[in-house]
Amino acid sequence: MTHPTLEKPTLDELFELLDGDLDAILTPFLEQLPKLINDILLGMEAQQAAAVFHAAHTLKSSAANIGGLQLSETSRQIEALGKADELDQVAPLLPQLEKQAADLEQAISDYMANR
């Protein structure tokens, strides 16, 4: 199953729930996103499965909360591999993770510009 970069109905629902203040949830997410990606990369560099697991777990949930389903799914895969201490299988997913993060940032920017 292919997941969308950004599930717009999720942001539409958040917009309603937050009385139009999407910045309240998107700003912290966008600030946290590069740090979480970096934490995964640093965990890989240091071969620390627990660090990879923790960062991927947080990213999985955060991305899902705002409708970033592709990024959430890849993070879920990395999370599972980190938990299983199978970091050799994480490495091929990293370029995909970084591209999906950039794509999600752009999709959020486009969504907000057209709001």
Side-chain angles (χ1 to χ4, degrees):
M1 176 180 186
T2 302
H3 297 288
T5 298
L6 179 63
E7 187 179 60
K8 292 179 178 113
T10 299
L11 281 184
D12 292 340
E13 285 178 34
L14 287 170
F15 184 84
E16 295 300 320
L17 286 170
L18 298 169
D19 293 324
D21 187 15
L22 278 176
D23 287 339
I25 195 168
L26 293 178
T27 298
F29 173 78
L30 291 170
E31 288 172 353
Q32 184 183 37
L33 181 59
K35 180 188 180 321
L36 290 170
I37 298 286
N38 192 52
D39 288 351
I40 292 169
L41 297 175
L42 290 174
M44 287 296 294
E45 197 174 293
Q47 289 294 290
Q48 294 178 338
V52 171
F53 166 80
H54 179 72
H57 174 78
T58 302
L59 183 55
K60 172 193 74 174
S61 301
S62 297
N65 285 341
I66 58 112
L69 300 187
Q70 278 183 1
L71 183 61
S72 180
E73 174 57 23
T74 300
S75 299
R76 184 198 61 76
Q77 292 171 22
I78 292 171
E79 172 192 33
L81 292 168
K83 185 175 186 178
D85 198 11
E86 296 177 359
L87 295 184
D88 57 319
Q89 294 182 45
V90 170
L93 295 173
L94 296 177
Q96 177 181 325
L97 182 78
E98 291 178 295
K99 180 180 183 331
Q100 289 172 347
D103 290 349
L104 181 56
E105 284 180 297
Q106 185 60 53
I108 289 169
S109 177
D110 292 347
Y111 178 90
M112 293 304 287
N114 294 314
R115 205 61 206 133

